[in-house]
């Protein structure tokens, strides 16, 4: 099969890890007889430098014309002083909105070979965990009305949700739970926020009418934040709002201790998705060769699985990564404390290529 893949390398370590992921995709295509056609587009700080805007129209059009999008990361200290509308982050927010990607899947799990990296008590790390955070991505306070008063010394942002937005995201959570352990935890702050009360009501209505076979429970976001560090094995699927999902997914990923391994997917109504590692642009290590390409490579695998329905090909990439990790190969970010030797990012990529 032929697939058009838009690559958006972005800033910092983005270009390095996307180049590595592309090589892995190319080798996979060769092995399984597919034709992946790649086009590269600018976004983020590098687009600001080149085009004076974080998300050029050409990038939006190119992504819309592709079968799926693989993104590196955007942002860096160089552009921190830019005004709100010209920040690199606008590129990500704009792509989510333009591509209609309203659900963000953020897995946080401990690879058996990396239990030692988990920052929790050893007995809890030993139990392991595998959480899928289903974050609403195009609504809530991120896209609500915001502004300042005339004198500029008072500001507001609005958390607003429609039942429609809550429901379409929750449906994805229930569908995913059916393919996992069948347990959804809806996370909100309904003891305080009206939008959270609508959230809870809507999730329960959908559960009763279409997903009674899935176990559903509710948790306030502050309690969920505690539960993630107390015993994350409680969770299977978490469904939550844009802002809460942003925070909880970073917390959960950090608890694994191996954030360089975690991929994510943003999905909408069409098969086209946006896939990206969750670790960000890490400008401090850009160009040093230290960047771990695994999260980008696993993002590419997620793309094959969710956007192209190429499960066997995705398994092949994931198994290659597992084999390399189980053989003990490590990049610096996941090396044992005190270790003196590790692979560079591109050596890690070569090890993975050898297994495909
Ligand atoms: C993320 C990032 C983005 C977000 C930023 C870059 C806008 O933190 O993908 O989690 O807050 O959604
Ligand atoms: Mn975030």
């Amino acid at each position: 099969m032929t697939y058009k893949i838009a690559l958006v390398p972005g800033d910092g370590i983005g270009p390095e890890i996307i180049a590595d992921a592309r090589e892995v995709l190319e080798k996979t295509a060769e092995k399984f007889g597919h034709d992946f056609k790649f086009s590269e587009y600018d976004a983020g700080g590098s687009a600001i430098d080149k085009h004076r805007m974080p998300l050029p129209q050409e990038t939006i059009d190119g992504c819309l014309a592709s079968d799926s999008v693989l993104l590196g990361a955007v942002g860096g200290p160089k552009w921190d002083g830019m005004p709100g509308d010209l920040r690199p982050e606008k590129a990500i927010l704009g792509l989510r909105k333009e591509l209609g990607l309203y659900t963000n899947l953020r897995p946080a799990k401990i690879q058996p070979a990396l239990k030692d990296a988990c920052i929790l008590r050893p007995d809890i790390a030993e139990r392991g965990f595998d959480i899928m955070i289903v974050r609403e991505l195009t609504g809530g306070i991120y896209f609500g009305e915001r502004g300042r008063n005339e004198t500029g010394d008072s500001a507001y942002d609005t958390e607003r949700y429609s039942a429609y937005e809550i429901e379409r995201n929750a449906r994805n959570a229930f569908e995913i739970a059916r393919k996992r352990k069948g347990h959804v935890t809806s996370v909100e702050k309904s003891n305080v926020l009206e939008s959270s009360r609508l959230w809870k009501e809507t999730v329960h209505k959908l559960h009763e009418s279409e997903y009674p076979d899935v176990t559903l429970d509710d948790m306030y976001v502050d309690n969920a934040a505690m539960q993630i560090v107390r015993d994350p094995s409680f969770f299977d699927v978490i469904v939550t709002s844009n802002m809460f999902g942003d925070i909880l997914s970073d917390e959960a990923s950090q608890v694994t201790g191996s954030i360089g391994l975690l991929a994510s997917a943003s999905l909408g109504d069409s098969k086209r998705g946006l896939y990206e590692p969750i670790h960000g642009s890490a400008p401090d290590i850009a160009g040093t060769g230290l960047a771990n390409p695994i999260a980008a490579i696993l993002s590419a695998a997620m793309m094959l699985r969710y956007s192209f329905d190429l499960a066997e090909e995705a398994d092949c990439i994931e198994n290659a990564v597992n084999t390399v990790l189980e053989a003990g190969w490590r990049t610096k970010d996941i090396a044992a404390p005190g270790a003196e030797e590790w692979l560079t990012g591109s050596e890690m990529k070569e090890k993975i290529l050898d297994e495909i």
Side-chain angles (χ1 to χ4, degrees):
M1 289 280 287
T2 300
Y3 297 93
K4 281 193 270 180
I5 299 174
L7 299 178
V8 184
D11 310 318
I13 60 171
E16 307 161 35
I17 57 172
I18 290 301
D20 289 341
R22 176 182 178 151
E23 278 188 59
V24 169
L25 282 170
E26 276 165 348
K27 179 118 190 238
T28 308
E30 200 182 303
K31 173 166 173 165
F32 289 89
H34 301 300
D35 182 13
F36 293 157
K37 294 198 184 312
F38 298 95
S39 315
E40 286 207 12
Y41 299 98
D42 298 321
S46 50
I48 296 174
D49 291 349
K50 249 181 154 167
H51 313 273
R52 298 173 152 269
M53 58 179 100
L55 184 61
Q57 189 60 42
E58 191 194 330
T59 300
I60 299 172
D61 294 342
C63 290
L64 283 169
S66 72
D67 295 308
S68 211
V69 183
L70 184 64
L71 185 137
V74 300
K78 183 175 173 195
W79 306 281
D80 271 350
M82 305 291 286
D85 262 8
L86 276 177
R87 291 183 60 92
E89 290 81 358
K90 267 276 159 185
I92 302 264
L93 298 173
L95 274 177
R96 289 172 183 164
K97 205 62 173 181
E98 296 283 347
L99 302 182
L101 306 171
Y102 55 79
T103 287
N104 189 203
L105 305 184
R106 298 200 162 179
K109 75 173 187 185
I110 300 209
Q111 303 275 355
L114 285 172
K115 278 193 174 145
D116 289 347
C118 176
I119 64 169
L120 300 179
R121 239 175 36 211
D123 56 317
I124 298 176
E126 188 50 42
R127 218 174 286 163
F129 63 89
D130 179 354
I131 310 177
M132 179 66 87
I133 297 182
V134 180
R135 169 191 179 193
E136 198 290 324
L137 203 58
T138 51
I141 199 163
Y142 270 61
F143 291 93
E145 198 187 317
R146 74 183 90 247
R148 295 234 182 167
N149 69 349
E150 275 161 23
T151 47
D153 58 358
S154 160
Y156 65 97
D157 299 271
T158 328
E159 173 85 343
R160 173 192 284 270
Y161 267 114
S162 68
Y164 167 74
E165 289 172 307
I166 297 166
E167 191 190 294
R168 62 182 182 172
N169 183 59
R171 178 168 276 112
N172 284 339
F174 286 124
E175 290 291 336
I176 286 164
R178 274 185 176 161
K179 295 186 192 140
R180 295 171 48 103
K181 291 185 217 133
H183 174 201
V184 171
T185 305
S186 169
V187 171
E188 29 71 1
K189 187 74 185 166
S190 58
N191 50 345
V192 179
L193 304 177
E194 194 55 37
S195 52
S196 278
R197 288 192 269 273
L198 178 67
W199 179 281
K200 184 172 174 184
E201 217 177 279
T202 309
V203 171
H204 278 266
K205 246 190 231 161
L206 179 67
H207 175 242
E208 273 157 39
S209 62
E210 294 181 41
Y211 299 96
D213 52 305
V214 175
T215 305
L216 172 66
D217 44 39
D218 306 288
M219 209 180 274
Y220 298 143
V221 63
D222 43 354
N223 291 334
M226 288 196 285
Q227 186 64 43
I228 286 174
V229 286
R230 188 195 300 134
D231 181 8
S233 70
F234 170 84
F235 295 113
D236 175 22
V237 174
I238 290 176
V239 63
T240 193
S241 65
N242 204 342
M243 177 77 139
F244 295 160
D246 180 47
I247 298 167
L248 292 183
S249 62
D250 265 7
E251 185 195 8
S253 65
Q254 205 58 50
V255 165
T256 66
S258 47
I259 186 168
L261 261 52
L262 297 176
S264 76
S266 302
L267 307 170
D269 283 331
S270 80
K271 277 280 178 189
R272 187 191 313 107
L274 183 142
Y275 299 83
E276 60 183 310
I278 66 163
H279 50 56
S281 62
D284 51 321
I285 58 162
T288 63
L290 290 179
N292 183 353
I294 294 182
I297 289 168
L298 292 176
S299 300
M302 260 182 126
M303 177 174 77
L304 301 187
R305 187 182 305 283
Y306 289 104
S307 281
F308 304 161
D309 290 320
L310 299 177
E312 206 186 324
E313 291 80 344
D315 285 345
C316 170
I317 296 176
E318 290 172 4
N319 291 339
V321 169
N322 285 340
T323 306
V324 169
L325 290 174
E326 257 150 40
W329 297 107
R330 300 285 184 269
T331 43
K332 184 166 184 235
D333 56 309
I334 50 173
E340 284 175 6
E341 281 183 38
W342 48 76
L343 300 182
T344 64
S346 91
E347 286 165 345
M348 177 56 96
K349 168 207 64 188
E350 291 300 331
K351 294 277 177 217
I352 294 168
L353 282 174
D354 286 346
E355 298 297 330
I356 284 176

